[in-house]
């Protein structure tokens, strides 16, 4: 198994290196589905150029990364072969994912004792678990989305990495709240939304502590620590930047969506066509919407925090203000972790088709709109809308399947009424 | 979401679909094709109209009165051409423009022949262009009038000297007018499209590997529209409008309408692809006429090669078309350079009135006549129906039942219940294994595709030392590749001695293949409906109906393989050139075929024509997927 | 004393002491030449009849005179045989191009302009001013399009006039509109002393008069064409009445039917002089002895 | 004795007015007319109390200067583009559209506020839309625009007191001419002003109204300053047959001189006649003046309007060409520039400027570029190259733009190699605007103002600008300086931005909200409900209800 994983990774590295030789990267670097104003590589370069000529990159409206990222990439630039670095990152990720999986069974069957009888066929079997790492690695390595962001040198790779690490921390060092929150802070620091991951983490620790104290007792420290780290990081970039202006051009930029260039999300055209006096109101609505789901989920999924975490990653990646393939790549690579619930999903086929169709049509329609000038914005908007819809179907379907499976785990798979008739299970 | 989520409904649908599947497929396919053709019938499509108010076609009176100048220019030019046999009197033209007091420039470029030749060898070329500065505007916009410089050698009706005369006469007239809001750029291009491409590259500072164009010494603003003239020296009898551009892109319908309207105003006969409109409207003959016109247009569009200089402007989002003077045996009216000048003057007055770039009217349309148009909204449904045939087919397969959760199966009758739940996880693993088993096929077809795409470069390079003409080497090389790919299922057998066929879930394979195919066709249709339509017509029936291990489906598949598609199209091309005698036809076909592949590649390298890419990189692998199916064995059904 | 009162009475016979005109062309683009010609025709007339440029707010959404497409630069003719250049040699356009927006228009009427706005762009009228408001452009039932991008609805307009009335910005107001379904523009008016005329009924289009083949555009709309014809005959001192003016352009000329609204107007149009709106004629009377006038126009300062 | 009297009378005159007309036949067959009206008022700007009694100086303008604390004001309104390659250099260069730059007095407190008030005032004054010069299109150039009048070193070295703005799309027409000519001491009744017929003037290939106010030295030792108001009107005509005359071009004769002027003269550049005459002027010039300025010798035919129109004669200058001119390649001026948009598509784009130096000596030039915020300038892509070799600029002043706030402003100081072409190129990204931010003619495109090239020429070949100390043309005849300041405006550019569908707002809002609602609805359902076994024995109603629920999820 391990061999094949390694083989997979190597294959991935090779395929990326190979693609770097084609002119695909140049094309991808400016594709608006792949890179956003925040993660675009050319904007980072612009920031560096400005820095070099003693102009603060934040005086303009081109550069939106946080400062240390900027310097970090500065370092990277010294490693000549950039592609190597990227693929190295990928490798890193996959290894982490792999190690994370070691602990899967523990996670998945925490309270096996409570299960109902004859649920063998829905229980995770060890052979599934064994095949799982390979699948995850394979999916990640050959996932066109993560390949594309790797080729486009999008800085989303970095944020994904930090999220990965944070997951590992979360799972691996079961007790280590300190590091976990640190990594949440890091990823929040770069792409703001992850701050919401504090909730799952808290409920996780509540969980692993086997419900020792009230859950609220777990929220407070994790949030507190998170805030501490976050402030620390901000402090660092303040010391680098020497002024707080960067706050507006990074988080302000994320929060009130001044840049309306198309992406795969729902924001851009919505706020292009929005009436001025409703703008603020709707921005609040949309931003809240992207995190509000954490509350019901926190209640519903308190028994399985890892899944909760995954749901949050997914939902934020749908509803963040500048989504890109980077976020989707992240989610899809982790999707196979819930392979055991797939058999309960209802729209997998439809969703898959929608994904494929949108991914193929998006660039075509963009070309027709922007270059050929023969189609107009609505065509492209339709596609991005469909794409978001597909993601929403997927995430809701996954949630459904997960809950449905849990139901079966506790109530057995063949559902009989008192009178012994089989019947169907419904939400009520 | 309702239908998707409600299990009962979904069951019903699926049951129905699976029951009448074949019937549905056939109906949809035929309905699609005939529905498409029916659109050419006048009552079924809308009549053309102007949606851009600014054009104000024909409201302004013609002021061009320089008939004698126009004629004398024409004669002088003839003299000059006679005088300097074999070479074009460029300097004479240059002088003429300069004497009118326009900013006139030479533009040099060089062509590196992509095939076989060493890179350093270059063919030099030279365009002449001349800018009439709008008097009271600040050179922020421009419109282009272009004429290809054709060698005196070509056939008289291919000559464009008349166009040059018209251009000079108009330049002289326009020079005196004060009402220009846009600069007018007169361009004379050498080697037709190549010169045009070079000039456009120079104007937009875009780089190309094979056409190296020098910097332009003078410039104007962004180009709003362009009219290309192909008017022979002698009087013509009718004007033919050519629209189809690179990769089947079309100019804004308003531009086309404008030209038609003004031709009518000049009482000149106007044709599309040399097809006249019939006079009576709702008769069978008129319908036939419209279908032919439509088919001609779609044929040209499908080829993806521009039908004239205008085709190259489209890439730069510049609306352009070609007005071609045609001569017939029994003219009912002859049109000299003066009439043409008046027509073009009218067009340019209207273009000058334009305040925004063309954005109002349609860009996706098919013209069955100069009076009517079929918009994307009309032709997409029939096309969609045609493609839907494959989508319906997909639903036949267990694959679906697998993708859709076991949730429905619970609804199914009680007795199946237990088995269902048993082989559930079994099924999942099977699915995975199924997909895995298919991966090699996909991999191979991708490999073949990339070979077919990159091959030509190699071939032509090797062809040079072997004293082979690049055409031949291409032809044979690609044929060889094709044969190899046809034989690829046999390669598998080597590994598996026990079975004479592929071990893979053919239904899943077909399912995937069909999805890929319909996706491909749809995305082609977005850019070039004609190409998608023709390919669809050919491939869809075969690919939907094939089943493993029947020689019939093998044959059918071979019939719609990319190779034979090219072959068929070249036969049609030959037939369109009126080579009816069969032997000659076949001979022509062979020639055409070589020529066609060769030209497509040339277009790809020089202008970025996608047709070859699509065929080799998209259609070919898709076909290979299907090709694997008849070589599967049926016994491992899921 | 009584004598004095009556003197004052006849001094302010027409009830107004100054005249203002707000002339608006709302449509841009060369092919809307005729709308600019319309508004300039009226501009020319009112100027000829004595309203000074300082009292005219002229809004022209696009520049036709110096449009490069115009073969006769710096001129706008409202007639194919060009006897009147309505653009004149000393025209002063106050709002032009992108400045012609619904917001600016309403602000000018209601006087709610930013402090830095120069005097020439303000409507400095008082409760003794007679105001002529002329609008032309592309309209529909209940709205008038500004530059093909935004539109002013008849309700907004009515409210703006009401606000003017409450802020005592006019004494009498003559509203004149030449557009499709023009009648709908004044249907919603409810403020007093407004006389309104429109080129067409609801459901009717207002048609253009004729094309100038040299320009290749329609040069003027029918209603304004005949209105101008009428005004051209009037001299500064003329005794023509509004009544006559409202009868201008019967159906056989306009093809659309001219709509008039007089119910808000408390005088009989046939007694109202044309020059009460189109000119600024004050009857001056030399008195042998000095008269002490009660301060009538004191409140007129508020709108500055 | 008379002369002494005259001298005294001039001396006691507080303000003087000079009207001049320079006529220059251009090699391309066009004819260039430059009217120059210079009013000099011996009052200094810094004591506002002196602005009480106005002579020739227009009061309306005086008010503007005092209220807004203006030190120098330069306004130009231009129609058409000056083609340097064909026409050489104008007397005062101006970009297409309107251009305004102002130096404020050091005593000023809130400069940006004052600027916005000033532009409003001016827009009312000159019937133009100068009030659109808001923070989105205003910059404070550091090197390109130094004060033209007398100014202390410390003051002029700050770019704090200057504001520059240009409206490339501003149209110029009669309504702009009207207020402009109202500023002339004797309006258009008499003198050169009587030639201003809008119908003729606006039929020109190039038409530029200029208005420049600045403090100048009152006399040679420059103890105290006076205010100089210089109004210029340049027009370039294309007499289709090369013969021209005042009557033919302006549609009128000159009948009298403006009595308020100290001198009113017409200069015709007849240098092209020098070796052998090409055209003949009638009537005979009062005097022929040969001017040696730097290394360039020119010959002018000088007419004094006063003399010509004495005792009621009408005066018309006509030139007759013996043979029609044939068009040949024209010698390029020392420095010229060409600027254009590169690339295609509505996503990215580039701007390239080619700067030609036709001299045999290197030049140091300042290149200034101002881009609106919606064309996002990429600093990293800025390259200066000369025949393929990269050029290192001496200094760069770059102020990045802010979305909806501030334009991208760039100033480069670099060296032009002798006899070479230097290429400045950079890329920009086109922003996607809100639908309310597009103008009514969104698909026409947006204008980028012209770039400005400033340098000091060592030669005065076809250089006509009068010397620094006075804008009176005649002074340029006795100019003995060695270096000549040149400012050059390039073409304005038209870029089209991607446009949304303006008819869609409601549909878009509904659709987007629907998608969000789907997510919200289904997650809400799944999290707030429990799974249970459906009991068919229960009555149908519930089933239907549950189905209903299901449909929503």
């Amino acid at each position: 198994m391990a061999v094949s994983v390694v083989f997979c990774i190597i294959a991935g590295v090779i395929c990326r290196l190979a693609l770097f030789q084609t002119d695909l990267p140049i094309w991808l670097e400016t594709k608006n589905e792949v890179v956003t104003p925040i993660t675009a590589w050319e904007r980072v370069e612009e920031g560096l150029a400005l820095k070099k000529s003693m102009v603060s990159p934040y005086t303009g409206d081109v550069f939106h990364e946080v400062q240390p990222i900027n310097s970090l990439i500065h370092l990277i630039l010294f490693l000549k072969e950039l592609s190597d670095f990227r693929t190295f990152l990928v490798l890193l990720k996959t290894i982490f994912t792999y190690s994370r999986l070691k602990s899967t069974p523990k996670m998945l069957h925490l309270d096996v004792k409570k299960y109902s009888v004859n649920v063998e066929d829905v229980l995770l079997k060890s052979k599934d678990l064994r095949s799982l790492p390979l699948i995850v690695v394979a999916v990640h390595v050959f996932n066109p989305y993560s390949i594309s962001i790797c080729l486009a040198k999008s800085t989303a790779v970095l944020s994904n990495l930090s999220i990965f690490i944070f997951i590992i921390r979360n799972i691996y060092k079961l007790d280590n709240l300190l590091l976990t929150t640190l990594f949440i802070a890091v990823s929040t620091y770069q792409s703001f939304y992850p701050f919401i991951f504090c909730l799952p983490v808290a409920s996780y620790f509540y969980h692993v502590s086997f419900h020792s104290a009230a859950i609220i007792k777990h929220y407070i420290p994790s949030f507190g620590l998170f805030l501490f780290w976050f402030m620390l990081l901000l402090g660092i970039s303040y010391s680098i930047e020497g002024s707080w202006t960067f706050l507006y051009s990074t988080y302000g930029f994320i929060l009130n969506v001044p840049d309306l260039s198309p992406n795969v999300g729902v924001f851009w055209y919505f706020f292009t066509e929005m009436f001025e006096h409703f703008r603020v109101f709707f921005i609040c609505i949309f931003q809240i919407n992207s995190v509000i789901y954490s509350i019901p989920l926190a209640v519903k999924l308190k028994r399985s925090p890892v899944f909760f975490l995954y749901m949050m990653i997914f939902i934020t990646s749908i509803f963040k203000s500048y989504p890109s393939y980077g976020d989707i790549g992240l989610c899809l690579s982790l999707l196979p972790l819930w392979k055991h619930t797939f058999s309960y999903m209802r729209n997998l086929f439809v969703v898959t088709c929608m994904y494929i169709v949108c991914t193929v049509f998006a660039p075509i329609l963009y070309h027709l709109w922007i270059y050929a000038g023969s189609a107009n914005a609505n065509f492209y908007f339709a596609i991005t809308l469909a794409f978001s819809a597909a993601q929403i179907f997927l995430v809701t379907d996954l949630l459904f399947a997960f809950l449905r499976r849990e139901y079966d785990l506790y109530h057995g798979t063949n559902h009989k009424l008192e009178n012994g008739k089989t019947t169907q299970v419904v939400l009520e | 979401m309702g239908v998707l989520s409600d299990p009962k409904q979904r069951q019903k649908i699926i049951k129905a679909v699976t029951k009448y599947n074949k019937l549905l497929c056939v109906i949809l396919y035929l309905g699609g094709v005939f529905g498409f053709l029916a659109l050419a019938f006048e009552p079924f499509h809308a009549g053309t109209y102007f949606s851009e108010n600014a054009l104000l076609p024909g409201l302004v009176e013609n002021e061009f009165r320089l008939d004698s100048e126009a004629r004398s220019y024409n004669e002088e030019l003839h003299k000059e051409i006679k005088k300097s046999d074999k070479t074009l009197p460029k300097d004479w033209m240059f002088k003429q423009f300069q004497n009118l007091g326009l900013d006139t420039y030479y533009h040099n470029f060089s062509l590196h022949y992509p095939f076989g030749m060493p890179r350093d060898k270059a063919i030099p070329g030279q365009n002449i262009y001349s800018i009439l500065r709008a008097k009271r505007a600040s050179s922020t916009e421009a419109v282009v009038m272009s004429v290809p410089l054709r060698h005196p050698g070509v056939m008289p009706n291919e000559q464009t000297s008349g166009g040059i005369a018209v251009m000079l006469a108009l330049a002289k007239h326009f020079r005196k007018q004060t009402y220009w809001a846009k600069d007018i750029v007169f361009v004379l291009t050498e080697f037709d499209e190549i010169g045009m491409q070079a000039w456009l590259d120079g104007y937009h500072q875009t780089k190309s590997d094979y056409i190296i164009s020098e910097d332009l010494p003078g410039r104007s603003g962004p180009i709003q529209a362009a009219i290309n003239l192909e008017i022979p020296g002698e009087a013509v009898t009718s004007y033919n409008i050519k629209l189809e551009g690179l990769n089947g892109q079309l100019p804004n319908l308003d531009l086309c309408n404008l030209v038609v309207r003004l031709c009518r105003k000049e009482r000149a006969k106007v044709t599309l692809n040399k097809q006249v409109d019939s006079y009576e409207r709702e008769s069978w003959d008129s319908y036939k006429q419209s279908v032919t016109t439509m088919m001609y247009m779609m044929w040209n569009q499908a080829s993806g090669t521009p039908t004239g200089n205008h085709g190259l402007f489209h890439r730069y989002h510049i609306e352009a078309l070609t007005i071609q003077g045609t001569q017939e045996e029994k003219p009912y009216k002859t049109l000299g350079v003066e009439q043409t000048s008046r027509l073009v003057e009218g067009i340019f007055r209207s273009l000058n009135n334009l305040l925004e770039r063309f954005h109002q009217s349609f860009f996706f349309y098919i013209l069955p006549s100069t009076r009517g148009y079929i918009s994307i909204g009309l032709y997409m449904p029939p096309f969609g129906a045609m493609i839907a045939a494959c989508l319906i087919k997909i639903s036949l397969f267990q694959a679906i039942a697998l993708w859709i959760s076991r949730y429905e199966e619970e609804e199914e009758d009680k007795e199946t219940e237990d088995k269902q739940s048993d082989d559930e996880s079994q099924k999942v693993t099977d699915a995975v294994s199924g997909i895995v088993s298919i991966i090699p096929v996909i991999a191979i077809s991708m490999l073949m595709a990339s070979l077919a795409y990159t091959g030509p470069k190699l071939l032509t390079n090797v062809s040079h030392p072997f004293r082979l003409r690049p055409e031949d080497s291409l032809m044979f090389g690609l044929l060889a590749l094709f044969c190899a790919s046809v034989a690829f299922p046999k390669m598998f057998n080597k590994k598996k001695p026990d079975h004479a066929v592929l071990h893979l879930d053919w239904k899943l394979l077909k399912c995937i293949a069909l999805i890929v195919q319909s996706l491909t066709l749809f995305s082609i249709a977005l850019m070039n409906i004609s190409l998608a339509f023709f390919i669809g017509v050919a491939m869809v029936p075969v690919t939907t109906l094939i089943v493993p291990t029947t020689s019939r489906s093998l044959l059918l598949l071979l019939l719609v393989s990319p190779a034979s598609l090219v072959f068929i199209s070249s036969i049609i091309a030959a037939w369109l050139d009126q080579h009816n005698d069969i032997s000659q036809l076949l001979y022509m076909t062979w020639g055409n075929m070589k020529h066609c592949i060769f030209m497509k590649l040339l277009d790809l390298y020089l202008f970025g024509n996608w047709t070859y890419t699509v065929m080799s990189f998209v259609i070919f692998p898709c076909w290979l997927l299907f090709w694997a199916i008849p070589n599967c064995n049926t016994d491992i059904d899921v | 004393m009584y004598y004095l009162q009556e003197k004052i009475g006849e001094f302010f016979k027409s009830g107004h002491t100054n005249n203002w005109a707000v002339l608006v062309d709302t449509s841009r683009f060369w092919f809307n030449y005729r709308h600019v010609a319309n508004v300039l025709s009226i501009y020319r007339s009112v100027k000829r009849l004595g309203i000074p440029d300082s009292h005219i707010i002229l809004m022209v959404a696009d520049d036709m005179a110096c449009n490069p497409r115009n073969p006769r630069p710096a001129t706008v003719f409202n007639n194919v045989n060009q006897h009147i250049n309505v653009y004149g040699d000393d025209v002063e356009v106050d709002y032009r191009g992108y400045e012609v927006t619904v917001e600016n228009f309403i602000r000018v009427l209601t006087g709610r302009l930013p402090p830095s706005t120069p005097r020439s762009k303000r409507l400095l009228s008082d409760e003794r001013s007679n105001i002529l408001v002329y609008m032309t452009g592309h309209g529909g039932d209940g709205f008038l399009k500004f530059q093909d991008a935004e539109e002013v609805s008849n309700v907004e307009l009515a409210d703006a006039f009401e606000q003017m009335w409450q802020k005592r910005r006019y004494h009498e107001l003559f509203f004149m509109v030449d557009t499709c379904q023009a009648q709908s523009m004044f249907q919603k008016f409810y403020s007093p002393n407004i006389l309104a005329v429109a080129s067409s009924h609801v459901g009717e289009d207002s048609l253009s008069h004729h094309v100038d083949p040299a320009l290749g555009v329609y040069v003027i709309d029918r209603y304004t064409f005949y209105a101008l014809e009428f005004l051209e005959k009037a001299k500064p001192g003329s005794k023509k009445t509004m009544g006559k003016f409202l009868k201008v352009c019967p159906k056989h000329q306009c093809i659309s039917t001219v709509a008039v609204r007089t119910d808000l107007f408390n005088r009989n149009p046939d007694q109202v002089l044309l020059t009460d709106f189109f000119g600024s004629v004050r009857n001056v009377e030399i008195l042998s002895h000095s008269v002490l006038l009660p301060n009538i126009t004191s409140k007129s300062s508020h709108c500055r | 004795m008379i002369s002494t009297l005259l001298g005294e009378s001039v001396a006691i005159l507080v303000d003087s007015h000079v009207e001049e007309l320079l006529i220059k036949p251009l090699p391309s067959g066009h004819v260039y007319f430059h009217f120059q009206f210079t009013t000099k008022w011996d009052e200094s700007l810094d004591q506002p109390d002196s602005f009480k009694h106005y002579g020739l100086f227009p009061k309306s303008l005086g008010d503007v200067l005092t209220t807004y604390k203006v030190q120098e004001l330069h306004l130009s309104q231009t129609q058409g583009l000056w083609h340097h390659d064909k026409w050489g250099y104008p007397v005062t260069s101006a970009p297409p559209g309107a251009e305004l730059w102002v130096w404020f007095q050091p005593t000023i407190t809130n400069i940006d506020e004052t600027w916005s008030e000033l532009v409003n005032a001016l827009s009312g004054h000159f019937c133009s839309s100068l009030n659109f010069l808001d923070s989105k299109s205003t910059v404070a150039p550091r090197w390109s625009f130094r004060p033209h009048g007398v100014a202390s070193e410390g003051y002029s070295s700050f770019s704090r007191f200057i504001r520059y703005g240009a409206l490339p799309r501003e149209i110029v027409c009669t309504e702009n001419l009207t207020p402009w000519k109202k500023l002339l001491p004797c309006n258009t009744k008499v003198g050169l002003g009587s030639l201003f017929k809008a119908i003729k003037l606006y039929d020109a290939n190039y038409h530029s109204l200029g208005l420049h106010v600045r403090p100048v030295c009152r006399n040679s030792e420059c103890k105290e300053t006076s205010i100089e108001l210089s109004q210029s009107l340049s027009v370039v005509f294309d007499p289709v047959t090369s013969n021209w005359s005042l009557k033919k071009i302006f549609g009128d004769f000159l009948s009298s001189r403006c009595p308020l002027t100290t001198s009113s003269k017409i200069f015709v550049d007849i240098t092209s006649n020098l070796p052998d005459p090409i055209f003949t002027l009638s009537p005979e010039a009062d005097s022929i003046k040969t001017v040696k300025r730097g290394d360039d010798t020119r010959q002018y035919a000088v007419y004094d309007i006063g003399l010509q129109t004495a005792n009621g004669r009408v005066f018309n200058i006509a030139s007759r060409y013996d043979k029609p001119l044939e068009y040949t390649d024209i010698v390029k001026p020392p420095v010229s520039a060409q600027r254009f948009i590169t690339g295609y598509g509505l996503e990215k784009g580039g701007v390239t400027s080619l700067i030609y130096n036709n001299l045999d000596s290197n030049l140091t030039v300042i290149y200034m570029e101002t881009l609106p915020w919606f064309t996002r300038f990429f600093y990293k892509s800025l390259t200066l190259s000369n025949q393929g070799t990269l050029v290192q600029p001496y200094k760069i002043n770059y102020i990045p733009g802010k979305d909806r706030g501030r334009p991208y402003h760039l100033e480069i100081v670099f060296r032009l190699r002798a006899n070479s072409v230097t290429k400045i190129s950079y890329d920009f990204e086109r922003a996607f605007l809100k639908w309310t931010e597009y103008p009514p003619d969104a698909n026409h495109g947006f204008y980028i103002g012209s770039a400005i090239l400033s340098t000091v020429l060592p030669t005065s070949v076809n250089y006509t600008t009068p010397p620094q100390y006075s804008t009176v043309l005649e002074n340029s005849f006795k100019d003995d300086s060695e270096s000549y300041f040149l400012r050059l405006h390039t073409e304005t550019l038209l870029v089209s931005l991607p446009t949304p569908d303006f008819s869609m707002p409601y549909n878009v809002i509904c659709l987007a909200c629907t998608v969000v609602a789907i997510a919200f609805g289904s997650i809400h359902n799944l999290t707030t409900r429990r799974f249970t076994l459906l009991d068919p024995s229960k009555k149908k109603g519930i089933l239907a209800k549950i189905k209903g629920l299901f449909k929503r999820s």
Side-chain angles (χ1 to χ4, degrees), chain B residues 36-37 273 289-301 366-368 533-534:
Chain B
F36 201 101
L37 296 179
N273 300 306
Q289 187 53 44
S290 325
V291 171
T292 12
T293 318
M294 172 166 145
M295 277 303 137
Y296 266 104
M297 174 169 180
M298 289 181 70
W299 182 254
N300 288 338
Q301 193 187 6
I366 302 171
L367 295 181
F533 178 76
F534 287 131

Side-chain angles (χ1 to χ4, degrees), chain B residues 25 45 56 70 72 184 192 205 210 217 247 265 340 377 503 508 531 562 577:
Chain B
C25 287
H45 60 254
L56 305 165
S72 64
I184 300 174
D192 292 33
Q205 292 267 303
Y210 300 100
N247 299 322
K265 185 156 171 284
T340 314
H503 279 265
L508 187 58
L531 184 59
D577 303 346

Side-chain angles (χ1 to χ4, degrees), chain D residues 89-297:
Chain D
Y89 297 130
V91 174
T92 53
S93 171
E99 183 192 47
L100 174 71
W101 57 285
V102 174
W103 278 89
F104 291 95
Q105 291 167 8
T107 58
I108 191 159
T109 51
N110 184 343
I111 185 157
D112 288 314
E113 198 173 294
T114 323
W115 165 259
S116 69
E117 286 165 9
L118 173 66
V119 289
N120 271 305
L122 289 175
S123 76
H125 202 298
F126 294 102
C127 286
S128 64
S129 340
L130 289 171
N131 49 333
F132 283 132
L133 287 174
D134 53 2
S135 68
K136 287 201 203 66
S137 50
T138 312
V139 294
R142 193 188 280 177
W143 301 308
S144 301
F145 290 89
R146 308 269 103 250
H148 272 196
V150 283
S152 69
E153 194 46 50
Y155 169 75
S156 57
S157 59
F158 273 120
S159 63
R160 206 170 76 241
F161 299 116
I162 184 180
R163 286 294 177 273
Y164 170 93
L167 296 170
R169 201 183 173 173
E170 185 67 4
I171 41 140
V172 184
C173 202
T174 319
E175 68 258 33
N176 305 102
L177 181 65
T178 316
W180 183 87
K181 65 191 181 190
K182 280 192 180 142
L183 299 178
L184 296 176
C186 30
N187 197 329
T188 54
K189 310 286 170 296
V190 287
L192 288 173
S194 60
L195 292 176
F196 296 161
K197 301 272 177 295
I199 295 171
K200 292 290 182 182
L201 284 180
Y202 287 95
D203 201 5
N205 294 43
Y206 173 84
H207 167 104
S208 173
L209 290 169
L211 180 109
H212 308 271
V213 185
R214 58 173 196 167
V216 292
C217 292
R218 188 166 299 180
N219 44 29
S220 49
E221 64 272 10
C222 204
K223 287 273 185 304
E224 44 195 347
T225 65
S226 348
I227 307 165
E228 181 194 72
L229 161 65
S230 125
Q231 290 178 263
S232 63
L233 169 61
S234 325
V235 280
V236 173
F237 286 101
D238 177 11
V240 182
T241 65
S242 40
N243 300 343
W244 55 267
S245 75
L246 289 185
K247 175 82 174 91
K248 180 178 167 194
I249 286 182
F250 297 101
D252 204 351
F253 303 106
L254 271 174
S255 52
S256 64
R257 71 182 280 253
C258 171
L260 301 174
T261 56
T262 48
S263 106
S264 68
K265 291 211 180 76
I266 298 182
F267 310 101
V268 185
D269 188 330
I270 52 173
T271 320
S272 49
N273 272 345
L274 265 181
D276 46 350
I278 299 171
F279 59 90
T280 52
L281 287 171
S282 63
E284 274 302 315
D286 302 330
S287 64
I288 302 287
K289 215 188 190 107
T290 309
V291 178
K292 180 125 182 48
R293 188 183 187 190
D295 52 0
D296 172 43
T297 320

